[in-house]
Amino acid sequence: MKLFDTLKQKVSPIRPTIVLAEGIDERVLGAAVRLKQDGMVEPIVVGPKAEIDAVAAKHGFDISNLTQYDPATYEDIDTLVESFVERRKGKATPEQARELLTSDVNYFGTMLVHTGKAEGLVSGAMHATADTVRPALQIIKMQTGIKKTSGVFIMVRDDEQYVFSDCAINIAPDAADLAENAYLSALTAKTFGIEPQVALLSFSTKGSAKSPETEKVIEATRLAKEKAPNLPIDGELQFDAAFVPSVAAKKAPGSEVAGNANVFVFPSLEAGNIGYKMVQRFGGFEAIGPILQGLNKPVNDLSRGCNEEDVYKLTLITAAQAIDERNEA
């Protein structure tokens, strides 16, 4: 079954509430209308009411049954302000908090998630990644025992599904970061019905080259196996050894992952970002993400070049993550 058919079956009976922080964008508003009509999630669209109404009128969207919150007129803003001040532990006065929450849709939307009025957030169609990630790190924060968030893409082409990580957040991860990333990426794969086979990638396979870069990946593999001994994880592996069975038989005989990998952990953001874009453009894969890992509640970032379908699909992914968070609570 294709990825999004699986996600729809998972999400539709539960219909998590997801914030779409950029309600004045026609791509976001159109996706919200579809998600509500299809019974997938309960969307909350955020933004100035007059601007949302104008976008809806221009594009013929019926938003009469959508939940809409205008931060400037939100009736429960005092509760959000109080909760924000408490969460930031003296780093913002009530006056500063009120100004921020009534003017910044990402902070406002993230506070809706933090206070339990929603279970996840999607933004980024109109904002840079940092504008989405910063409020999440300050307010939602990382899960216990997890040091850094990372950004994965689900690469989809017909029935093929792979996880690429980290392609969005950490520029120069160390061995501990890579190990943590490998573990989280395996969990992400399971969320989307992918049984993980995790390869930590390098320009070397099993000692074929030696350098500080390859030693980092070797150490990361050791740490990842130590953290998750029951997960199939291996490295250091070149991509062909990780993906092609005939190459794996020559370069990494006996590896349970080589030749079968479906979760690929890149050694740097440079490699990951270039790699996923090449597979997307040369290989005709759809790149869904980046999906942020390790946060207490799901917050995900769109590309500013996204279309309505991208918003729809990333919201489904966010809803699936929310269901998993609910089940683990």
Side-chain angles (χ1 to χ4, degrees):
M1 186 178 294
K2 292 184 178 180
L3 173 64
F4 288 98
D5 292 333
T6 302
L7 288 181
K8 286 177 180 179
Q9 287 194 3
K10 180 175 185 174
V11 165
S12 60
I14 299 174
R15 299 178 70 174
T17 300
I18 305 297
V19 176
L20 298 177
E22 300 160 314
I24 64 171
D25 187 290
E26 68 271 16
R27 299 164 295 178
V28 174
L29 196 58
V33 170
R34 286 175 54 202
L35 288 158
K36 179 74 172 183
Q37 288 175 343
D38 294 349
M40 293 293 109
V41 305
E42 289 296 334
I44 295 175
V45 294
V46 173
K49 184 179 186 306
E51 292 185 46
I52 292 175
D53 289 346
V55 172
K58 179 179 179 180
H59 295 277
F61 298 144
D62 179 4
I63 61 171
S64 58
N65 63 346
L66 287 183
T67 301
Q68 303 174 54
Y69 290 155
D70 184 340
T73 59
Y74 182 61
E75 62 182 15
D76 205 19
I77 191 67
D78 290 344
T79 300
L80 295 190
V81 168
E82 181 180 352
S83 181
F84 182 87
V85 171
E86 179 183 352
R87 189 63 166 169
R88 296 296 289 140
K89 299 185 184 301
K91 294 181 180 178
T93 66
E95 292 76 20
Q96 290 169 333
R98 187 177 301 275
E99 171 63 25
L100 185 62
L101 293 176
T102 55
S103 62
D104 190 309
V105 293
N106 286 312
Y107 274 97
F108 178 86
T110 302
M111 283 303 301
L112 293 179
V113 177
H114 174 61
T115 55
K117 293 179 173 61
E119 295 178 79
L121 177 143
V122 173
S123 188
M126 301 174 66
H127 293 85
T129 294
D131 296 327
T132 301
V133 174
R134 188 182 303 110
L137 293 177
Q138 292 178 354
I139 298 167
I140 303 298
K141 300 189 178 182
M142 303 304 299
Q143 296 171 13
T144 301
I146 302 299
K147 292 183 179 180
K148 294 181 179 179
T149 189
S150 50
V152 309
F153 282 83
I154 308 295
M155 307 300 293
V156 180
R157 185 178 66 184
D158 299 326
D159 292 331
E160 295 179 82
Q161 301 166 14
Y162 305 104
V163 177
F164 280 21
S165 185
D166 175 0
C167 303
I169 304 294
N170 297 298
I171 295 173
D174 61 21
D177 296 335
L178 289 177
E180 184 174 85
N181 187 5
Y183 170 71
L184 291 173
S185 297
L187 299 184
T188 296
K190 289 185 175 182
T191 295
F192 305 118
I194 302 169
E195 194 58 38
Q197 299 273 333
V198 184
L200 284 90
L201 298 178
S202 178
F203 58 83
S204 168
T205 297
K206 299 299 181 180
S208 63
K210 290 190 179 296
S211 74
E213 291 82 6
T214 62
E215 292 298 323
K216 178 180 75 171
V217 178
I218 292 169
E219 174 64 7
T221 303
R222 185 189 69 79
L223 293 172
K225 288 181 175 180
E226 186 178 273
K227 182 176 181 63
N230 295 323
L231 283 175
I233 298 172
D234 203 6
E236 89 281 25
L237 296 171
Q238 292 164 281
F239 183 81
D240 57 355
F243 190 66
V244 182
S246 61
V247 177
K250 295 176 181 177
K251 290 188 173 184
S255 170
E256 65 174 330
V257 170
N260 300 300
N262 53 20
V263 177
F264 300 95
V265 178
F266 291 85
S268 69
L269 180 59
E270 183 176 48
N273 193 267
I274 292 170
Y276 101 80
K277 288 181 183 294
M278 289 181 70
V279 170
Q280 180 186 31
R281 301 300 180 180
F282 282 170
F285 277 78
E286 184 176 8
I288 307 298
I291 301 161
L292 303 184
Q293 303 186 126
L295 294 164
N296 280 310
K297 295 181 181 180
V299 173
N300 287 318
D301 179 43
L302 292 157
S303 165
R304 279 173 284 180
C306 68
N307 57 35
E308 182 182 303
E309 186 68 10
D310 295 331
V311 182
Y312 185 97
K313 288 178 175 178
L314 190 60
T315 306
L316 284 180
I317 285 173
T318 307
Q321 289 178 295
I323 291 169
D324 284 354
E325 293 287 346
R326 183 190 297 187
N327 291 339
E328 291 171 7

